[in-house]
Amino acid sequence: MKIKEVLSALEEFAPLPLQESWDNAGLQIGLTEAEVSGALLCLDVTEAVIDEAVSRGCNLVVSHHPLLFRGLKQVSDATDVQRTVRKAIRHDVSVISMHTNMDNARGGVNFKIAEKLGVGDVKFLSPRRVGEVECGSGVIGTLESPMAASDFMQRLKREFGVACVMCNELLQRPIARVAICGGAGDFLTDEAVAAGADAFVTGEMHYHQYFGYEQRLQICVIGHYQSEQFTTEVFRDIINERCPGLATCIAETNTNPIVYL
């Protein structure tokens, strides 16, 4: 199995044209003709992640967040990104990132969040087409049975392993319809209301976005890393299905830079 075959499988699922204009998904580091010894799946690429890949015999890292967002002026040891690039090259570790193309793809990041929450009949919240491909920002669906806002918060905490949920005042009606956008999703708050959502789950939201939705929408903010942590399962399933026999492992390194005390 060559790296180009893994890259092709991932891009077939989430084509690069689906990414946002500011993004830099796709191959980050490496030679696509190289044979794959194993793929380490992660959210972020750091020096510690490269170390883990090497220790586990993986010469390919597949991440959600790109290591390289912008061009580098130099490759030294001046920044964490530069040090990570040098380490990956030194150990012949290739890096592939599937970012907003995986956010916007059917079956991608937001569909996985919906699955974890027990949200069914999932559709794109803000749908669009790129060529012949249907895609979109965020998703919306329905819980298997309506539940009180306080119970919904407990489900979020349990399923995503968070100590608390940042929210506005608790909704005084049952939550049935749930809108979702992993990562920074506050740009979709009004779309969630317009689509008839009772709750909107996202990773981060600006302070002023919490105002004005009291008893209209239950805002639920669980953390950027926490909301997207199961993206590695999406990568694993794609590779297992389309590249059978290739060893994959989900990274044990926690790359969340935010510490909760």
Side-chain angles (χ1 to χ4, degrees):
M1 184 73 62
K2 294 185 176 182
I3 287 172
K4 67 179 181 182
E5 296 174 75
V6 182
L7 180 62
S8 177
L10 291 165
E11 291 184 1
E12 183 180 349
F13 184 93
L16 290 183
L18 271 57
Q19 70 180 310
E20 303 298 333
S21 59
W22 46 264
D23 202 5
N24 186 41
L27 181 69
Q28 306 274 294
I29 297 172
L31 305 176
T32 59
E33 289 292 338
E35 291 188 2
V36 187
S37 61
L40 183 73
L41 316 176
C42 62
L43 200 63
D44 309 286
V45 188
T46 65
E47 289 186 89
V49 167
I50 300 299
D51 288 337
E52 182 179 349
V54 173
S55 69
R56 300 179 73 170
C58 299
N59 67 346
L60 174 62
V61 169
V62 179
S63 72
H64 181 44
H65 296 140
L67 173 61
L68 301 174
F69 267 111
R70 304 170 184 85
L72 296 177
K73 298 294 186 181
Q74 63 179 16
V75 180
S76 65
D77 61 353
T79 67
D80 58 330
V81 172
Q82 292 180 36
R83 290 191 295 271
T84 303
V85 169
R86 292 182 71 243
K87 179 166 285 191
I89 293 173
R90 187 162 64 249
H91 291 285
D92 288 325
V93 174
S94 296
V95 177
I96 295 171
S97 301
M98 296 281 112
H99 192 210
T100 53
N101 53 321
M102 190 62 70
D103 289 329
N104 295 333
R106 177 169 295 282
V109 177
N110 295 310
F111 286 82
K112 175 58 72 171
I113 297 172
E115 176 191 316
K116 294 292 182 179
L117 283 175
V119 174
D121 189 27
V122 182
K123 301 175 181 177
F124 288 114
L125 178 58
S126 180
R128 63 182 186 271
R129 299 190 74 86
V130 176
E132 298 299 314
V133 180
E134 181 191 17
C135 61
S137 299
V139 297
I140 187 168
T142 306
L143 291 169
E144 66 276 12
S145 59
M147 59 196 310
S150 58
D151 293 334
F152 186 66
M153 296 302 169
Q154 292 305 312
R155 176 176 288 190
L156 279 168
K157 291 167 67 174
R158 181 177 65 252
E159 297 299 330
F160 290 86
V162 296
C164 68
V165 178
M166 295 178 65
C167 59
N168 56 350
E169 67 179 30
L170 290 182
L171 205 64
Q172 298 302 307
R173 66 173 190 273
I175 291 174
R177 294 278 285 168
V178 179
I180 296 166
C181 183
D186 60 8
F187 67 99
L188 288 172
T189 310
D190 289 333
E191 282 85 344
V193 173
D198 301 303
F200 179 43
V201 178
T202 189
E204 58 181 283
M205 181 171 284
H206 288 88
Y207 173 78
H208 292 287
Q209 285 292 108
Y210 286 86
F211 287 96
Y213 296 98
E214 297 81 3
Q215 299 308 315
R216 298 172 63 209
L217 182 71
Q218 184 69 73
I219 293 171
C220 313
V221 180
I222 61 176
H224 195 123
Y225 179 94
Q226 292 87 341
S227 70
E228 297 181 330
Q229 62 185 295
F230 300 114
T231 304
T232 53
E233 295 183 9
V234 180
F235 295 153
R236 179 195 62 197
D237 294 344
I238 294 169
I239 295 172
N240 287 349
E241 178 185 346
R242 304 182 188 212
C243 304
L246 175 61
T248 61
C249 49
I250 292 175
E252 296 175 355
T253 303
N254 184 334
T255 57
N256 189 358
I258 301 172
V259 177
Y260 302 86
L261 300 176

